[in-house]
Amino acid sequence: MTQRLARLTGEFLDYGAAAASARAVGTLARLVRRQADVLSFIDGFTVAFWGAIAGLLLVSLMRAAPPGPLTPNGMQAGRNGAH
């Protein structure tokens, strides 16, 4: 980290010593923030992936709906044996 900061400071020396240090710290902070943003997106996709897997597992455990007013007619006929 300190090597990277020293290299960035050297790149900004045309702006003066104080400005070079400030610009180097700002640039390094921007790079760290960008990396943190990428890692947070990766974490978000990981959570979404595992949520989808859990949802698929729950759907696989579901049974057919019992006959009722919201059950489609085709399902009721299939259960009663009538076609």
Side-chain angles (χ1 to χ4, degrees):
M1 185 74 96
T2 57
Q3 292 173 347
R4 176 83 174 185
L5 187 59
R7 192 170 72 221
L8 285 171
T9 303
E11 291 178 14
F12 292 119
L13 279 178
D14 293 341
Y15 299 102
S21 178
R23 284 179 181 249
V25 169
T27 302
L28 189 60
R30 193 171 39 245
L31 291 172
V32 169
R33 180 164 186 102
R34 186 180 351 164
Q35 186 66 29
D37 288 343
V38 169
L39 291 174
S40 69
F41 281 123
I42 291 170
D43 290 345
F45 280 112
T46 302
V47 168
F49 169 77
W50 286 113
I53 295 297
L56 288 172
L57 289 174
L58 288 174
V59 167
S60 71
L61 297 174
M62 292 174 62
R63 297 185 200 151
L70 299 177
T71 307
N73 289 336
M75 286 183 70
Q76 288 178 352
R79 284 197 176 166
N80 295 334
H83 296 292

